[in-house]
Amino acid sequence: MAQAKARRKTEAGSLSDDTTAAERHGLLRSMLLQRRFEERCAEAYALGKIGGFCHLYIGQEAVGAGAIAAIRSDDYIITTYRDHGQALARGMSPRSIMAELFGRADGCARGKGGSMHLFDRSLNFLGGHGIVGGHVPLAAGIGFAIKYRGGDQVCLCFMGESVVNTGAFHEALNMASLWKLPVVFLIENNRYGMGTALERASSIHDIYLRAASYDMPRAFVDGQDVLAVRTATLEAVRRARSESVPTLLEVRTYRFMGHSMSDAVAGTYRSKAELEEYMKRDPIMVLRMAMQDAGEIDDPGMARLDEEVKAIVQDAWDFADASPEPPLESLFEDVLVETTT
Amino acid sequence: MAVATYRDALNQALKEEMQRDDRVFLMGEEVGVYQGAYKVSKGLLQEFGEMRVVDTPITELGFAGIGVGAAMVGLRPVIEFMTWNFALLAIDQVVNAAAKLLYMSGGQFPIPIVFRGPNGAALQLSAQHSQAFDAWLAHIPGLKVVSPGTPADAKGLLKSAIRDDNPVVFFEGEMLYNTKGDVPDGEYLTPIGQADLKREGDHCTIVTYGKSVLLAMQAADQLAKDGIRVDVVDLRTVRPMDVNAISASVRKTNRAVVLEEGWEVCGVGAQVADLIQRECFDDLDAPVLRVHQADVPMPYARNLERAAKPDVPKTIAAVRKVMYLEER
């Protein structure tokens, strides 16, 4: 990342929200960890250490970091196949994630899920799901279970903007609103469903307006500004927790990489010029500049933070590399569970 | 023990399991206020309230997914499809979610859920409402597939399915709901994965399950009049299949007919025939024959529908053929 160049071009974010300096530092660290982790994912993919599909989150880190900062540890998260960033933001071990990506026995899903299917039951991280739209009804079901038990948790459901054209999205949002389920439906609008621009796929371009069909509260927010994402999510979470009312929150972001590791970053469906324009608002730089203006971080401080997260990522890589392949006898494990009741 | 209909047996199972475990809830179209499209859920709304007997919009994909999500976090949903024909709209949630989450999470998320409803043809409902999907669902690792043919098995298997920690696909039948039989009162569990020898004979084996058990029993009665004694092996569970029960019977009779409601190509009968050739090759005195629906979408006209469905005469003819007896 050409940081000096980006710094010149990046407009600093505002610090006018209610975060503390320590919280802002934590958000910066979370985004930087996601970035450095995924840069190494790209490297590992090129080396053949990661196989299959690998969808990077680079450019969208503020969404995962900001939204997850707005929920409690006993709340639930469910997401799509572009799930590395959110898993890290939730506090999943970088070692167990990298080992999963490498297809090793110490992976969070014992090498059975891979990049698209990260799970951590202990953190209520209910997975990366691979069918566009398929997990949105699951989110409504998690909200239903919360309400059924009379709890005050919420379910935070991440999805890409292309989900809004699926039937599953419509069916789930209708019932969530009808039954007042405590769910935050968070759309990461990164402008493209694979290679198809939003304007070529959806009859409505202001995605959050879709919520009007379900009489559901809605909002949109700048997804490159982590503090704005956090603030908007906090309001949706408050509404879910205290009023049991779902929200459709559109977070406008942009992915700096290709749809997956299998396609070019720019070319056929978007221009290099467009990509470069969006990269001027790198979410890490937006927060860093604001913090720098406020005297909360300087260049040596940033360098130290960068070294710290790079060391964590290197450790994760080394751990994954040393982890054994899953034993062949595990092939037939976890197809069904032994029923004990 | 009292005589009850298949419908009431299912109702008893639901009611008893909901009384036993407050994590169990029933969700689907018309299950509450309307008392069930086929009245299987009669009285449950009044006893358990609308949080546990949930009427949904017509939205199979949505409410099947709500069930899977609720199961991920500890509830035990029973999802009713008005028929399995409509469940095709929800198949992503059954196959891509329910059947996969345990495996692809490395064992972290068991999905204790039952998807149930009538399967196969009733009478003159034509092509879109008369399909048997046992083979489709039985193809999928990560699911258990159950298809009871009698009221007692309906009760015992539904109770076991609700207590099972895995996704269970539960096939009923419009034409079965009014059938009657002895049903044990209270706690009565039929193990999933265990076939039942519904009738004993030594000349030929009929392997079947679900609604076709009735046809097999009628065929056995008629064959007995000609001195032909057949074993009727009721699989009760299609996945996992009780291989030992099938092979024990075929080793005794040396002949087998597989009777199912669904279509021939890649059907459940093909799986049974394969098991028999692998397990009982040296015991067979004749090729295994299959009785199934004709390889066409179900027609409406009464005579065409009758011609398309498996029935007692077709079953008898198949038994006589594997016994090298002339057709009568």
Side-chain angles (χ1 to χ4, degrees), chain B residues 123-279:
Chain B
L123 285 174
Q124 287 193 277
L125 299 180
S126 72
Q128 292 182 329
H129 287 73
S130 305
Q131 303 169 89
F133 290 113
D134 346 314
W136 281 40
L137 278 305
H139 192 58
I140 307 296
L143 300 177
K144 294 184 179 183
V145 178
V146 168
S147 184
T150 67
D153 288 340
K155 176 172 179 177
L157 281 167
L158 185 53
K159 286 171 72 81
S160 292
I162 292 170
R163 293 186 199 185
D164 202 287
D165 289 335
N166 298 287
V168 179
V169 167
F170 195 93
F171 290 123
E172 303 162 13
E174 286 102 324
M175 305 301 286
L176 281 170
Y177 288 134
N178 280 336
T179 59
K180 289 182 179 165
D182 286 333
V183 176
D185 300 321
E187 187 73 355
Y188 175 68
L189 297 167
T190 305
I192 292 174
Q194 208 174 90
D196 183 38
L197 194 57
K198 283 285 190 294
R199 184 182 177 112
E200 272 202 77
D202 49 4
H203 291 146
C204 179
T205 298
I206 301 177
V207 181
T208 189
Y209 58 94
K211 205 186 300 173
S212 304
V213 172
L214 297 180
L215 299 181
M217 297 302 278
Q218 290 168 32
D221 283 343
Q222 292 191 29
L223 286 161
K225 289 174 189 161
D226 292 334
I228 300 168
R229 300 182 298 269
V230 297
D231 255 11
V232 175
V233 177
D234 176 3
L235 293 175
R236 301 195 291 197
T237 300
V238 182
R239 173 189 270 270
M241 199 175 276
D242 189 342
V243 183
N244 292 336
I246 297 168
S247 52
S249 174
V250 175
R251 285 191 189 116
K252 177 179 71 177
T253 65
N254 311 113
R255 300 160 203 276
V257 167
V258 193
L259 165 62
E260 68 187 305
E261 268 199 283
W263 289 293
E264 175 183 20
V265 179
C266 305
V268 173
Q271 179 69 20
V272 174
D274 175 59
L275 286 170
I276 293 171
Q277 65 87 16
R278 271 188 282 153
E279 299 289 323

